[in-house]
């Protein structure tokens, strides 16, 4: 199975900060990389698909980049509603896998 | 509107069985691959299983293979997850999710249900 590793596991930041989360795949997954936001008690929400495409309705402060094995999610200016846990997921393999998550907390 | 609604969760003893359902509405259910994803308390998201749009192809995570079966009834727009020989480590919120594009694989999950809690405990 393809292993996905996110860094950091947790991150403290302030409203207005620029934040970057990294995700590394154990083998090349081309651009088959997706990002989700998860808040407690809520379903996950798709933010970015195919590494860099913004899902409809998602604010433009979210962006994604990368290909092959290394990917990043960037939030250009943190808003209060952005404090959540973020997961990367590969869709290259039929057996999908998620990263372990990055918890974004208020500083 | 496009919606997925899970049901069937509850408290079950170890070794027993449970079947989860996921009802789709607002879209052509029979055109989309469907997945189950779970999240154990305090843990991350774990992909569980996928079924192709027509039910002809099914794949499972190693952690559940042999104990869990995914199926669908396209005439009733419903996805199922049959869970047998349940273990404490199967305790989780179970989500159904739709693959983003019709008839095309290897995509993200753009629609999710609200989740149903399964607790395996004696």
């Amino acid at each position: 199975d393809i292993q996905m590793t996110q860094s950091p596991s947790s991150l403290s930041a302030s409203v207005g900060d620029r934040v970057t989360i990294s995700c590394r795949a154990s083998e090349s997954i081309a651009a088959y990389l997706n990002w989700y936001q998860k808040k407690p008690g809520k379903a996950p929400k798709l933010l970015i698909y195919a590494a860099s495409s913004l899902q409809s309705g998602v604010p433009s402060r979210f962006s994604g980049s990368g290909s092959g094995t290394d990917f990043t999610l960037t939030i250009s200016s943190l808003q209060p509603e952005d404090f959540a846990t973020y997961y990367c997921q590969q869709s290259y393999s039929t057996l999908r896998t998620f990263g372990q998550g990055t918890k974004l907390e208020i500083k | 509107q496009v919606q997925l609604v899970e049901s069937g969760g509850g408290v079950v003893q170890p070794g027993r069985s449970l079947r989860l359902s996921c009802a789709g509405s607002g879209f052509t259910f029979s055109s989309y691959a469907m997945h189950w994803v779970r999240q154990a308390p305090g843990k991350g998201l774990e992909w569980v299983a996928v079924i192709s749009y027509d039910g002809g192809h099914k794949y499972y995570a190693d952690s559940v293979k042999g104990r869990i079966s995914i199926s669908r009834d396209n005439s009733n727009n419903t996805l199922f997850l049959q869970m047998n020989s349940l273990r404490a480590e199967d305790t989780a919120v179970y989500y159904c999710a739709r693959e983003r594009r019709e008839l095309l694989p290897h995509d993200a999950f753009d629609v999710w249900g609200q989740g149903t809690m399964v607790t395996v405990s004696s």
Side-chain angles (χ1 to χ4, degrees):
Chain A
D1 294 3
I2 299 174
Q3 307 301 317
M4 307 301 294
T5 304
Q6 289 180 232
S7 61
S9 294
S10 63
L11 177 59
S12 294
S14 301
V15 172
D17 284 354
R18 179 183 180 90
V19 166
T20 297
I21 299 170
S22 297
C23 178
R24 174 166 289 179
S26 59
E27 62 186 80
S28 177
I29 57 171
Y32 291 99
L33 191 283
N34 313 301
W35 290 97
Y36 300 86
Q37 179 191 67
K38 179 71 168 70
K39 294 181 178 179
K42 301 284 191 177
K45 176 185 177 182
L46 177 63
L47 301 174
I48 301 286
Y49 63 92
S52 60
S53 296
L54 191 67
Q55 172 69 355
S56 175
V58 174
S60 59
R61 62 180 180 273
F62 290 92
S63 64
S65 64
S67 67
T69 60
D70 292 301
F71 302 86
T72 58
L73 172 70
T74 300
I75 310 172
S76 60
S77 179
L78 273 173
Q79 298 302 301
E81 60 268 28
D82 299 338
F83 292 94
T85 301
Y86 293 85
Y87 293 91
C88 63
Q89 178 216 30
Q90 62 81 17
S91 51
Y92 180 84
S93 167
T94 302
L95 305 185
R96 309 296 173 85
T97 43
F98 289 90
Q100 81 279 14
T102 295
K103 187 173 185 179
L104 181 52
E105 299 175 304
I106 301 173
K107 184 183 287 184
Chain B
Q1 74 278 26
V2 175
Q3 195 173 7
L4 295 170
V5 178
E6 301 98 336
S7 60
V11 180
V12 60
Q13 294 179 327
R16 302 299 291 265
S17 298
L18 200 63
R19 189 174 84 155
L20 307 181
S21 300
C22 168
S25 60
F27 65 100
T28 306
F29 184 81
S30 59
S31 293
Y32 291 85
M34 297 294 297
H35 298 254
W36 287 98
V37 175
R38 68 185 181 183
Q39 185 175 34
K43 303 295 186 182
L45 299 174
E46 179 187 18
W47 176 81
V48 173
V50 60
I51 187 167
S52 60
Y53 67 95
D54 61 355
H57 299 276
K58 306 172 185 180
Y59 299 92
Y60 302 93
D62 288 344
S63 59
V64 303
K65 199 177 296 182
R67 300 187 300 115
I68 283 182
S69 176
I70 189 171
S71 62
R72 65 191 298 161
D73 178 357
N74 283 344
S75 62
N76 286 300
N77 298 336
T78 306
L79 174 72
F80 301 102
L81 190 70
Q82 177 67 43
M83 301 188 293
N84 302 321
S85 303
L86 281 162
R87 306 167 179 169
E89 53 264 38
D90 295 317
T91 294
V93 176
Y94 285 74
Y95 297 97
C96 59
R98 186 187 82 168
E99 196 141 325
R100 195 177 64 89
R101 291 180 297 174
E102 295 181 69
L103 306 178
L104 292 172
H106 301 292
D107 211 332
F109 305 163
D110 68 334
V111 180
W112 296 68
Q114 83 288 352
T116 187
M117 182 71 203
V118 173
T119 302
V120 183
S121 174
S122 54

